[in-house]
């Protein structure tokens, strides 16, 4: 027993003198503990090594159990302390772009429709992306690359092997990781000048209003009607433009729903969800791998245009892209006078 304690003290003391980290020293102590247990399991009773290390494994098992309890207690206490700490707002971003940013965004700055003022607007913008899947993946990548200052992403799923055929922001090594954290890692690796806010949870009615209030613009990359209707209601209530994309097999759709500026909302176009089976999901009907990249990148383009005030966003229009035949077309959209979201329940939203 004393021999083992002496070895543990030597490991800890010598490790500290040699500059080994605390985690490395703890790792070595763990190896020593495992070695002692193996001695008691593998060697017969009465063996000299068993006698020198306490004679029985029971004492070491009790000691290990006590250490585990202490570790669990400290971890729990640390989490409680972290939750009790007041939330500190991040340091304000300098109004002046660094040389690195100027060089990074040079191709934007020379565009007449964007220029320096447009890039500054992107840098000050706060964009929320709902869904980090097929549409969210390319949209998030290009928003980060474009220099959108604050990007929120909310999604309750984890990365799966079946996602990687089209959700290019994720990697094979991150299978099992929450999608929002996988996306955050990729975005910050692409552009360390942006702030990413990951929300690993489902969007619900209880949190939508408060969450949307923190942003200037919303992108909807979800794949179910329940969430789409919820996103639409929350965006209308917050008077935020909503860039919405959708996919089906070889076809993609894109529009900007913005009732606060005279355009229809999502529910004007789709008053009710289709009956089960009439609109199969991507998992049921399939989807071409590059198609979400095309439509998701278009969503990012619309977001940049809305933020910078460039060109003409797809307000009151839907762009339809047929990848199989290489065709695009646009259709006009109109508000419905009886829409329960943007007209009947809130007629003032027609006023800017």
């Amino acid at each position: 027993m004393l021999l083992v304690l002496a070895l543990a003290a030597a490991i800890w003391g010598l490790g500290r003198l040699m500059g080994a980290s605390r985690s490395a020293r703890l790792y070595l102590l763990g190896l020593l503990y495992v070695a002692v247990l193996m001695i008691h399991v593998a060697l017969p009773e009465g063996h000299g090594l068993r006698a020198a290390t306490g004679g029985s494994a029971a004492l070491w098992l009790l000691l290990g159990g006590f250490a585990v309890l202490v570790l669990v207690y400290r971890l729990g206490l640390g989490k409680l302390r972290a939750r009790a700490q007041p939330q500190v707002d991040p340091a304000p971003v300098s109004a002046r772009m660094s040389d690195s940013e100027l060089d990074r965004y040079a191709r934007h700055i020379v565009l007449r429709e964007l220029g320096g003022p447009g890039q500054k607007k992107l840098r000050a913008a706060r964009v929320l992306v709902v869904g980090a899947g097929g549409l969210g993946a390319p949209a998030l990548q290009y928003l980060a690359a474009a220099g959108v200052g604050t990007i929120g992403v909310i999604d309750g799923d984890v990365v799966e092997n079946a996602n990687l055929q089209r959700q290019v922001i994720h990697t094979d090594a991150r299978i099992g990781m929450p999608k929002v954290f996988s996306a955050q890692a990729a975005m910050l690796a692409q552009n360390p000048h942006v702030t990413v806010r990951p929300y690993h949870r489902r969007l619900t009615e209880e949190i939508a209003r408060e969450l949307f209030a923190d942003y200037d613009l919303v992108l909807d990359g979800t794949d179910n009607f329940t969430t789409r209707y919820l996103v639409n209601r929350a965006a209308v209530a917050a008077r935020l433009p909503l860039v919405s994309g959708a996919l089906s097999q070889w076809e993609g759709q894109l529009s900007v729903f913005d009732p606060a500026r005279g355009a229809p909302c999502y529910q004007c176009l789709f008053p009710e969800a289709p009956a089960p089976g009439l609109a199969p999901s991507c998992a049921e009907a399939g989807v071409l791998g590059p198609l979400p990249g095309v439509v998701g990148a278009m969503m990012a383009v619309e977001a940049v245009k809305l933020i910078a005030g460039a060109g003409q966003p797809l307000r009151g229009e839907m762009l339809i892209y047929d990848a199989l035949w290489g065709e695009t077309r646009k259709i006009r959209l109109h508000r419905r006078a009886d829409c329960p979201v943007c007209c009947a329940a809130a007629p003032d939203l027609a006023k800017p």
Side-chain angles (χ1 to χ4, degrees), residues 277-348:
L278 291 182
S281 67
C282 291
E284 297 167 329
V287 63
L288 177 69
L291 181 62
V294 175
V295 180
M298 288 181 177
M299 293 172 68
V301 169
E302 292 301 307
V304 169
K305 288 159 58 181
L306 286 163
I307 293 166
Q312 182 174 328
L314 287 169
R315 287 191 183 100
E317 296 180 309
M318 175 174 284
L319 177 69
I320 301 173
Y321 171 62
D322 186 336
L324 189 60
W325 299 103
E327 296 177 346
T328 59
R329 62 188 187 276
K330 285 204 294 187
I331 60 174
R332 295 288 303 172
L333 307 177
H334 301 281
R335 297 183 70 179
R336 286 193 307 113
D338 61 343
C339 176
V341 175
C342 72
C343 290
D348 65 306

Side-chain angles (χ1 to χ4, degrees), residues 81-125:
R81 285 175 176 169
R83 292 178 62 182
Q85 291 294 325
Q87 295 296 316
V88 179
D89 292 333
V93 177
S94 170
R96 184 180 178 86
M97 283 190 281
S98 66
D99 291 343
S100 174
E101 289 175 285
L102 289 171
D103 183 54
R104 181 182 293 260
Y105 308 131
R107 272 67 172 177
H108 271 180
I109 294 171
V110 298
L111 284 175
R112 178 171 55 86
E113 297 82 1
L114 284 179
Q119 190 61 48
K120 286 183 178 179
K121 289 180 181 178
L122 290 172
R123 192 169 181 258

Side-chain angles (χ1 to χ4, degrees), residues 40-64:
H40 286 275
V41 170
L43 298 179
E45 286 190 32
H47 193 281
L49 281 178
R50 288 192 62 169
T53 54
S56 171
L59 181 62
W60 294 108
L61 290 172
L62 287 172
L63 183 62

Side-chain angles (χ1 to χ4, degrees), residues 3 47 56-57 65 115 127 130 146 176 194 199 216 226 256 301 308 316 325 340-341:
L3 174 62
H47 193 281
S56 171
V127 177
V130 184
V194 302
Y199 307 98
D216 310 312
T226 301
V256 175
V301 169
W325 299 103
V341 175

